[in-house]
Amino acid sequence: MNADEKFELITRGLQEVLNPQIIKDVLEKEERPLKVYWGTAPTGKPHCGYFVPMVKLAHFLKAGCEVTVLIADLHAYLDNMKAPLEVVQHRSRYYEFVVKAILKSLNVPIEKLKFVVGSSYQLNGDYTMDIFKLSNKISQNDAKRAGADVVKQVANPLLSGLIYPLMQSLDEEYLGVDAQFGGVDQRKIFVLAEENLNGIGYKKRAHLMNPMVPGLGQGGKMSASDPNSKIDVIEDPKIVKKKIGAAFCAPGDANNGLIAFIENVIQPIHELKTEERGSFSFYIDRPDKYGGPIKFDSVKELRDAFVNGNLSPVDLKAGVTDKINELLEPIRTAFEESKEFQAAAADGYPVEVKEKKVKKVKNKGTQYPGKVSAASEKNSSSVDGLSAKVGSVDLE
């Protein structure tokens, strides 16, 4: 590829690129591979939305980029204490297994990737000193605003949520990259980095932003903390079918999470696997009594059919269910074949065992219906005793 072709592939499908000239200068003037990093904080279990950044990592690698995946364990710990640090460390291992499994399933050579755990360098003295330097330049309000779309927001936020965006900005320097990649929800942190890294002697980087894929439930952001909005990457096929079946999908309205998933995940992955730009194939095994099997060769064709009523929500859900299970099958297999993968999941996301409630014995009180009084018991005993004596008389 020439520089223009590489730039097109690096920026393909992105919602926004900040400082694209930095990328062009690296490719055209310096004539070297672009160094880019993508960070992920190991909080909730990775879901199908992770296929979106994985597609871009595949694009980066195909364009000859040097790609670093940051497993941001300290960021996860700082995000409003979602999990203790020792649990976060197990989740870091789980995330690395997941990322590798997804990329392998997309035929991406993971040997070209570099994995770095945040705590391996974020605890050293130089990094800490730079955090202090940034904190002297960034106001409380700016730090809070930067993390508003990323850090969990609560009524009385912890100081850790203000440190989070400062660290993410600084990671660009310590990972030695030309660009940082993330979702468009990271934009405020990217701008914070661009505006402040120069102030402590570090260069400005480019920033690449993916669109956010709507959740498969009610259409909001697909979030690891909302079990109804996402499908785990090792989800059981029956659970996948159940969740897709419950997804909101109004007839004729193409602005739903299912079609968004097709556009942002299924189509780009098909394109990657076939190595054919714009290629697409979506097959729905529909019963003959409902019109028989149907196939679409473009996302536009599928979208138009849904809007026009030629594709029903039931059929769309069936097709998406089959595609998702097809994507997840190699990841489930990798999980089932690796004891380490399973151990990381068990230690990082322990199943909460709920204690059985002990049934409380009801106190009937002293005058409940049917209670025999002491006097009645005495009279009854006397009568019984008299009967016994009478019964014992020898009538002969």
Side-chain angles (χ1 to χ4, degrees):
M1 294 184 191
N2 59 38
D4 289 337
E5 290 170 332
K6 289 179 180 179
F7 181 81
E8 187 281 324
L9 184 55
I10 289 168
T11 58
R12 182 183 299 174
L14 295 177
Q15 182 166 325
E16 188 177 0
V17 179
L18 300 178
N19 295 319
Q21 192 59 47
I22 292 176
I23 300 173
K24 291 180 179 179
D25 287 345
V26 168
L27 299 175
E28 296 172 2
K29 296 180 180 179
E30 300 181 37
E31 296 182 342
R32 63 173 176 82
L34 182 75
K35 297 178 181 179
V36 58
Y37 102 84
W38 172 71
T40 179
T43 51
K45 278 190 172 182
H47 48 73
C48 286
Y50 276 68
F51 278 99
V52 179
M54 294 303 102
V55 168
K56 282 312 302 177
L57 294 192
H59 287 165
F60 297 153
L61 291 167
K62 192 174 180 181
C65 299
E66 295 180 7
V67 181
T68 298
V69 174
L70 172 65
I71 307 294
D73 55 342
L74 292 186
H75 288 78
Y77 178 65
L78 290 172
D79 191 0
N80 206 50
M81 291 285 289
K82 286 183 178 176
L85 191 55
E86 57 271 19
V87 173
V88 168
Q89 290 169 346
H90 292 302
R91 291 181 180 182
S92 297
R93 290 194 301 117
Y94 180 73
Y95 266 59
E96 185 170 340
F97 277 116
V98 167
V99 170
K100 288 179 177 178
I102 293 177
L103 290 173
K104 281 182 179 178
S105 74
L106 300 180
N107 299 322
V108 176
I110 62 172
E111 294 77 15
K112 295 181 181 180
L113 279 175
K114 179 182 178 183
F115 286 85
V116 176
V117 176
S119 57
S120 66
Y121 67 88
Q122 291 166 345
L123 297 176
N124 69 42
D126 291 340
Y127 190 92
T128 302
M129 192 64 220
D130 280 338
I131 289 291
F132 291 155
K133 289 177 182 178
L134 276 180
S135 65
N136 265 331
K137 293 187 171 295
I138 299 173
S139 71
Q140 174 187 333
N141 288 338
D142 287 345
K144 185 178 180 180
R145 184 170 61 250
D149 296 327
V150 179
V151 181
K152 185 177 179 181
Q153 300 299 301
V154 293
N156 187 25
L158 298 174
L159 183 60
S160 58
L162 303 180
I163 300 173
Y164 187 113
L166 274 64
M167 290 178 63
Q168 186 170 335
S169 301
L170 204 54
D171 289 336
E172 297 177 354
E173 174 66 25
Y174 279 78
L175 292 173
V177 297
D178 306 300
Q180 183 181 173
F181 163 63
V184 73
D185 60 336
Q186 309 274 326
R187 191 183 194 282
K188 293 174 183 175
I189 294 180
F190 292 164
V191 171
L192 187 81
E194 290 193 8
E195 292 177 345
N196 292 281
L197 282 185
N198 274 336
I200 60 171
Y202 298 139
K203 68 178 182 180
K204 185 183 292 187
R205 269 76 179 184
H207 294 96
L208 309 162
M209 285 166 275
N210 252 345
M212 301 305 295
V213 177
L216 294 168
Q218 298 301 316
K221 175 183 172 182
M222 193 181 292
S223 170
S225 61
D226 180 4
N228 296 318
S229 77
K230 50 100 179 182
I231 292 172
D232 290 345
V233 293
I234 56 170
E235 198 85 82
D236 183 87
K238 292 181 180 179
I239 301 299
V240 172
K241 183 177 181 180
K242 182 179 178 181
K243 286 188 175 183
I244 295 298
F248 178 76
C249 184
D253 183 3
N255 296 317
N256 60 63
L258 299 179
I259 291 182
F261 190 82
I262 292 171
E263 292 175 330
N264 292 283
V265 176
I266 295 174
Q267 191 278 326
I269 287 177
H270 186 273
E271 185 179 276
L272 262 176
K273 289 183 175 180
T274 60
E275 296 187 348
E276 193 176 326
R277 182 72 193 276
S279 63
F280 180 73
S281 179
F282 195 85
Y283 178 81
I284 300 173
D285 190 14
R286 192 167 57 181
D288 291 336
K289 63 180 180 180
Y290 296 120
I294 187 171
K295 182 176 179 292
F296 298 98
D297 296 316
S298 72
V299 176
K300 184 181 184 304
E301 183 186 355
L302 183 147
R303 176 184 277 272
D304 290 345
F306 188 78
V307 171
N308 296 332
N310 296 324
L311 176 64
S312 70
V314 173
D315 293 336
L316 177 64
K317 289 180 179 182
V320 171
T321 298
D322 290 343
K323 279 292 185 182
I324 289 179
N325 278 325
E326 181 184 318
L327 288 175
L328 300 187
E329 182 57 33
I331 303 166
R332 294 191 198 105
T333 301
F335 180 77
E336 291 164 3
E337 293 177 349
S338 172
K339 297 294 184 184
E340 291 182 332
F341 199 163
Q342 295 170 27
D347 294 337
Y349 303 94
V351 178
E352 293 183 13
V353 180
K354 294 183 178 180
E355 295 183 6
K356 291 185 177 180
K357 292 183 178 180
V358 179
K359 193 173 181 180
K360 189 177 180 180
V361 179
K362 292 183 179 179
N363 184 358
K364 294 180 179 179
T366 57
Q367 299 298 324
Y368 59 88
K371 177 176 174 64
V372 180
S373 65
S376 298
E377 287 182 355
K378 184 177 181 181
N379 292 338
S380 176
S381 299
S382 300
V383 172
D384 290 343
L386 180 60
S387 299
K389 286 182 181 179
V390 171
S392 66
V393 174
D394 189 357
L395 296 178
E396 295 182 355

